[in-house]
Amino acid sequence: MRGVIRKLNDDGFGVLKGILVPFSAPGDEIIVERVERVKKRRVASQWKLVRSSPLRVGPRCKAFGKCGGCTLQHLNYDYQLEFKRKKLKRILGFEVEVVPSPKIFGHRNRIDLAITKDGIGFRERGKWWKIVDIDECPVFGKTSREAIERLKEFIEEEKISVWNIKKDEGFLRYMVLREGKFTEEVMVNFVTKEGNLPDPTNYFDFDSIYWSVNRSKSDVSYGDIERFWGKEFIRERLDDVDYLIHPNSFFQTNSYQAVNLVRKVSELVEGEKILDMYSGVGTFGIYLAKRGFNVKGFDSNEFAIEMARRNVEINNVDAEFEVASDREVSVKGFDTVIVDPPRAGLHPRLVKRLNREKPGVIVYVSCNPETFARDVKMLDYRIDEIVALDMFPHTPHVELVAKLV
């Protein structure tokens, strides 16, 4: 089948007569050579580019087109932002400004590299069993090349067994890299099955080196901490606030855009008493406490709250963080409630509580515009101000921040 791609769907796939074409661009003339059914959708698994769209740029990553991490790297950045604006208008029904990421390469502060007999890298798009071998990840930066080179030496010289994904065999499974973009501190976490890890300090001289053991049957890039070398934590700094980074703690993946995110949240809050729901390690709450707000935070993850309390100490601020689920916390008496839920959105019980107890302002931070739109319809609030931040260049994803009154 031959034709011209006219549009992208919300996942960033080109559409040609009902067939989804990954890594294509509006204006591309293509020939579809093979089509497969994937979850009730017809997807072009093999196609040929006849004439390039003017929207195309040369992707910086050599693995682009196979690796499932970036789907829009072949599109110029202005068009990526336009694509996200159009996507948000379709979902929300109105125009939303999309703030560009300050950097579109070297911006990610975390990558999870699978270590397999077929290579070191990320999964091929749509194929959980197949790894795209890489030398470097440009969205993470030059540290990834150094780490991968050292990892290959480590495996070869120490004769370490690596992962056979299909057979679920092998000792060394993942290398997780984390980097404080503003502090330049680097952490590497080796995730293995049961066994013995040779001393990695002869090969890696990063600030923090961890060994974690995944004792579950799940394919995850974290585990129980076996030991560490060097610093227990690395730090990231957003403006004047320091945050401790641990292998098992979450932090916004684009540090440069995270600065804009915390600044925007601080602009939108009102009053003195702030409730930080889904607080995690205290990213918003501690930033606000540093600016004199009276902050109380909650999260259901005990380890996240432990990290939030440590972050309170190192920043010398007055804020409280407690373990509780979104179904338990009362929002009564707070001037502003910040909610930053997972992709599934707000729990229905929390929506009812917000409607019943009526805090003056809700600041809603969302990585999923669809569940955001659903929740806003259920809340007895209107959008007073909203902006999108491109936290995830080269992907179809975007972060929303809205003030609801």
Side-chain angles (χ1 to χ4, degrees), residues 32-231:
V32 175
E33 298 175 332
R34 183 180 299 167
V35 177
E36 295 179 357
R37 284 209 167 269
V38 180
K39 296 180 179 178
K40 299 182 179 179
R41 304 191 301 178
R42 298 170 70 206
V43 180
S45 57
Q46 189 173 323
W47 60 275
K48 186 184 298 181
L49 182 63
V50 177
R51 180 172 53 85
S52 293
S53 163
L55 299 173
R56 275 189 172 271
V57 296
R60 186 176 296 187
C61 181
K62 293 185 292 184
F64 180 78
K66 287 187 177 180
C67 174
C70 295
T71 53
L72 305 179
Q73 201 180 115
H74 62 302
L75 298 171
N76 74 57
Y77 189 56
D78 286 342
Y79 182 76
Q80 290 186 35
L81 297 174
E82 178 63 21
F83 163 75
K84 295 181 184 189
R85 281 192 290 268
K86 290 178 178 178
K87 176 177 176 176
L88 289 173
K89 187 174 182 180
R90 284 195 297 274
I91 295 170
L92 302 176
F94 53 85
E95 297 277 355
V96 178
E97 176 195 2
V98 180
V99 177
S101 176
K103 292 190 177 186
I104 62 170
F105 287 101
H107 56 280
R108 277 194 68 94
N109 56 38
R110 171 177 175 155
I111 51 172
D112 299 29
L113 296 162
I115 306 168
T116 75
K117 66 180 187 65
D118 298 318
I120 298 165
F122 306 105
R123 280 172 168 80
E124 188 172 323
R125 187 198 63 79
K127 297 179 180 178
W128 61 268
W129 66 91
K130 196 167 184 180
I131 296 298
V132 180
D133 189 35
I134 66 169
D135 298 319
E136 180 182 10
C137 177
V139 298
F140 185 84
K142 62 183 180 181
T143 305
S144 61
R145 174 176 288 276
E146 180 184 353
I148 292 170
E149 288 175 355
R150 294 181 184 184
L151 176 62
K152 289 176 179 177
E153 292 177 10
F154 184 40
I155 291 168
E156 182 179 356
E157 294 185 14
E158 299 293 342
K159 297 179 173 51
I160 302 171
S161 163
V162 299
W163 195 10
N164 182 323
I165 294 179
K166 286 187 177 180
K167 294 181 178 180
D168 193 26
E169 295 174 347
F171 171 66
L172 184 55
R173 303 292 178 100
Y174 283 99
M175 178 174 70
V176 181
L177 292 175
R178 305 189 77 160
E179 183 174 35
K181 296 298 181 178
F182 294 107
T183 63
E184 298 184 343
E185 295 181 2
V186 178
M187 172 183 285
V188 59
N189 180 28
F190 298 107
V191 182
T192 73
K193 299 306 281 187
E194 296 277 9
N196 293 304
L197 183 74
D199 186 348
T201 58
N202 295 325
Y203 302 87
F204 300 87
D205 59 359
F206 297 136
D207 300 275
S208 177
I209 303 172
Y210 268 84
W211 170 24
S212 302
V213 178
N214 174 15
R215 293 183 170 87
S216 74
K217 293 186 179 297
S218 302
D219 168 19
V220 292
S221 54
Y222 57 87
D224 302 324
I225 302 300
E226 196 71 12
R227 66 167 297 184
F228 69 90
W229 296 261
K231 294 181 179 180

Side-chain angles (χ1 to χ4, degrees), residues 298-337:
F298 291 93
D299 199 288
S300 59
N301 185 307
E302 291 186 19
F303 185 71
I305 292 300
E306 179 185 333
M307 292 299 295
R309 291 169 178 167
R310 286 176 180 259
N311 287 331
V312 165
E313 291 178 11
I314 66 169
N315 286 284
N316 192 28
V317 295
D318 185 13
E320 295 179 31
F321 288 90
E322 303 291 341
V323 178
S325 78
D326 53 4
R327 299 179 296 281
E328 301 169 336
V329 177
S330 172
V331 300
K332 202 168 187 177
F334 290 95
D335 301 311
T336 297
V337 175

